Amino acid sequence: TAPLINLSQKLDGTEDTAAFARHVAEGLSQTQKTLLSRYFYDGQGSRLFQQIMELPEYYLTRCEFEVLQTHKQAIAAHFSDPGFFHLVDLGAGDALKTKILLQELTQSQKGFDYVPVDISGDAMQQLRGTLQKEMPLLEVQAVVGEYFSALDWMHQHKPDRKVVLFLGSNIGNFKEAESQNFLRSVRRYLKAGDKLLLGVDLRKDPETVLKAYSDASGVTAAFNLNLLTRINRELGGNFNLEQFRHYALYNPQDGVMRSFLVSKIEQEVHIGALQQSYHFDAWETIHTENSHKYTLPQVEALASASGFKVEKVFQDKQCRFADVLLTV
Ligand code: AVI
């Protein structure tokens, strides 16, 4: 197993905090207050997200497991056609889902190496360790950094054919235009024969979607409210968590799940690092996240607008989730 490649420039975290401060200041100054969902994932937020994935209501993770488990042979066959490839896993984390594919690919003796990419150095250290134990023959090149720094590095150091994984409906958290830009940027790093396996959450009973984002045990609420805890800790804010509530709203017309933090009372919140107070009317909202649910024609349109073709759609039995194999 190769040593970890660290492309992250932020050695002391100061740059991170400055960007966080800037984004919070921008977001809370708008008429519709917003906070960016990418800031959910600090240590506590990542732990809460792990818990979300185990909730009975959060069908996405179980459905994608089913998709990969059911279709792993076919997926592996598509990946290795033709020959050796680098399997690039964007946002690999603990790679729990990817391991299904890794096992299948190694058992069927497909020629490939595994390149997990994540901004969390800890996660990549750990994954390297566990893979070394669980799959000692697997060649792993873990990369710590942003997606596109990693793809850039791959372009220079690993020129063979690439199969990129972007699983877990992460594409759904981008704004409409952003998802196209993201896919276009990935496309630029790929050549003929390269592939992208994209995890997308599909349209379904609105009730099912809504419950997945307002679970009975309140884990998603804690996940959303943790954004305020993070502002309090990292930017010296004085948000009173008791005075905000989580609210999730699904619009079946546009297929967008929208999450909010709602101020229960009229209040002022001060953020020390920004030297600024923010006024909240009673029941004023902060928009914190969008989670898009797609129709298959929408996925096809998104793919073709970004320079990809749909090679094959893999779904679970209830057609709740799809992993869509795209080619350039
Ligand atoms: C990471 N992402 C795909 C999750 C989602 O379903 O949009 C984040 C999440 N937010 C609330 N629950 C889960």
Side-chain angles (χ1 to χ4, degrees):
T1 294
L4 206 81
I5 299 292
N6 193 347
L7 306 173
S8 142
Q9 279 120 35
K10 302 144 194 159
L11 294 174
D12 60 357
T14 51
E15 205 180 313
D16 272 341
T17 308
F20 184 36
R22 198 172 61 245
H23 284 134
V24 170
E26 271 170 27
L28 293 183
S29 310
Q30 291 163 24
T31 320
Q32 167 63 67
K33 293 184 170 68
T34 52
L35 291 169
L36 299 178
S37 59
R38 77 168 81 140
Y39 293 110
F40 281 141
Y41 305 93
D42 63 353
Q44 175 64 4
S46 302
R47 279 189 291 278
L48 286 164
F49 183 58
Q50 292 288 334
Q51 289 180 35
I52 287 177
M53 291 193 286
E54 284 162 21
L55 290 170
E57 294 97 332
Y58 197 74
Y59 59 84
L60 290 83
T61 312
R62 267 175 288 116
C63 289
E64 192 170 36
F65 260 105
E66 186 191 322
V67 174
L68 298 175
Q69 196 63 50
T70 309
H71 302 286
K72 59 188 177 188
Q73 282 180 343
I75 295 173
H78 277 273
F79 281 6
S80 54
D81 173 28
F84 183 88
F85 62 97
H86 302 296
L87 185 64
V88 187
D89 192 358
L90 298 181
D94 62 6
L96 216 58
K97 280 174 286 200
T98 310
K99 281 182 188 170
I100 298 172
L101 297 178
L102 293 175
Q103 253 136 21
E104 178 60 34
L105 287 162
T106 42
Q107 266 164 30
S108 53
Q109 298 190 315
K110 310 285 194 216
F112 77 107
D113 65 3
Y114 179 49
V115 186
V117 176
D118 207 286
I119 32 166
S120 163
D122 289 347
M124 288 305 87
Q125 284 288 12
Q126 268 188 24
L127 181 59
R128 248 181 105 239
T130 52
L131 287 174
Q132 214 157 18
K133 269 192 232 119
E134 292 170 15
M135 312 175 80
L137 295 180
L138 178 66
E139 267 192 65
V140 179
Q141 173 63 78
V143 179
V144 179
E146 306 270 340
Y147 298 153
F148 294 109
S149 336
L151 287 171
D152 217 46
W153 181 88
M154 291 289 296
H155 184 70
Q156 292 169 46
H157 297 90
K158 296 209 171 236
D160 292 312
R161 202 167 67 81
K162 288 174 199 58
V163 175
V164 177
L165 303 177
F166 197 52
L167 303 179
S169 186
N170 285 320
I171 190 84
N173 295 132
F174 290 128
K175 289 195 195 113
E176 192 105 15
E178 279 174 2
S179 52
Q180 223 184 79
N181 284 339
F182 174 82
L183 290 181
R184 272 201 194 134
S185 306
V186 173
R187 168 67 185 85
R188 262 182 239 124
Y189 285 100
L190 303 182
K191 300 193 295 265
D194 291 352
K195 299 176 194 215
L196 169 66
L197 187 68
L198 184 68
V200 291
D201 194 15
L202 300 175
R203 300 281 182 102
K204 59 184 62 62
D205 183 348
E207 205 59 40
T208 306
V209 178
L210 186 60
K211 283 196 179 127
Y213 294 83
S214 34
D215 62 283
S217 54
V219 180
T220 307
F223 175 71
N224 199 3
L225 285 160
N226 179 57
L227 259 178
L228 303 184
T229 308
R230 184 171 183 184
I231 295 175
N232 285 352
R233 187 182 59 246
E234 292 182 23
L235 304 178
N238 67 352
F239 279 102
N240 177 354
L241 271 65
E242 302 282 294
Q243 301 298 3
F244 286 85
R245 63 156 295 177
H246 165 71
Y247 187 77
L249 179 70
Y250 180 59
N251 181 344
Q253 193 174 26
D254 61 7
V256 183
M257 178 73 231
R258 292 179 173 83
S259 297
F260 301 92
L261 290 164
V262 186
S263 175
K264 295 182 190 170
I265 54 166
E266 182 179 5
Q267 55 183 323
E268 295 285 322
V269 174
H270 186 75
I271 301 180
L274 307 179
Q275 299 181 310
Q276 183 77 43
S277 288
Y278 297 93
H279 179 84
F280 289 85
D281 289 331
W283 308 115
E284 185 174 347
T285 59
I286 310 174
H287 175 235
T288 54
E289 186 177 50
N290 281 350
S291 304
H292 283 82
K293 314 301 165 193
Y294 299 91
T295 65
L296 287 174
Q298 276 181 324
V299 177
E300 189 143 3
L302 176 62
S304 73
S306 328
F308 287 98
K309 286 188 291 281
V310 175
E311 180 168 315
K312 178 96 188 144
V313 179
F314 301 99
Q315 285 174 263
D316 62 307
K317 248 209 244 98
Q318 296 181 82
C319 300
R320 289 181 168 190
F321 198 96
D323 282 307
V324 182
L325 186 63
L326 306 177
T327 54
V328 305

